[in-house]
Amino acid sequence: MTAALALPAANLALGVAGKVVDGIANALDPAKAKAKKQADDFESMFLEQMTQHMFTNMGSEGPLGDNGTGGDVWRSQLTQAYAKQVQKAGGIGVSDQILREMLSLQAQASTGA
């Protein structure tokens, strides 16, 4: 392997190793894993509320034709699916900020008790 390829390969390996170690640490700490899930769920809900605004002024015509009486249900499911996909793809950073704050509050509560 040439020197030009060795450095990027080493950085990639270190990044993957760091993610594996973080995953193991999160798996061993159920409180942190639960907080992460709650933060992710909150971000999904936030994104769902934001994407609903994209569909509010569409009228009765939607991407699949006339929505009829079930259009509101369809839009609700579509915005929920969009929000979950955006969150799975990395989200917008709300989840990370919430998780840091939750862990900080938990640490303060445990040291104060």
Side-chain angles (χ1 to χ4, degrees):
M1 178 178 289
T2 66
L5 295 176
L7 186 58
N11 284 336
L12 179 63
L14 288 174
V16 170
K19 288 181 182 182
V20 169
V21 168
D22 287 343
I24 292 170
N26 288 344
L28 295 176
D29 188 2
K32 188 173 181 180
K34 185 177 179 182
K36 173 71 173 145
K37 182 179 179 342
Q38 289 173 342
D40 289 346
D41 289 346
F42 180 84
E43 184 174 27
S44 291
M45 184 214 42
F46 175 77
L47 288 168
E48 183 179 347
Q49 294 294 317
M50 297 304 291
T51 54
Q52 280 180 354
H53 291 289
M54 292 189 315
F55 293 101
T56 55
N57 295 325
M58 285 181 57
S60 63
E61 186 69 25
L64 300 178
D66 191 14
N67 291 324
T69 56
D72 291 338
V73 174
W74 176 82
R75 278 190 206 107
S76 167
Q77 291 173 347
L78 183 63
T79 58
Q80 187 177 29
Y82 283 160
K84 285 183 181 180
Q85 284 301 112
V86 169
Q87 200 283 319
K88 272 187 190 176
I92 58 174
V94 173
S95 175
D96 295 334
Q97 292 175 352
I98 291 172
L99 178 61
R100 280 193 299 270
E101 188 64 27
M102 288 172 67
L103 294 175
S104 172
L105 291 172
Q106 287 177 359
Q108 288 175 1
S110 68
T111 57

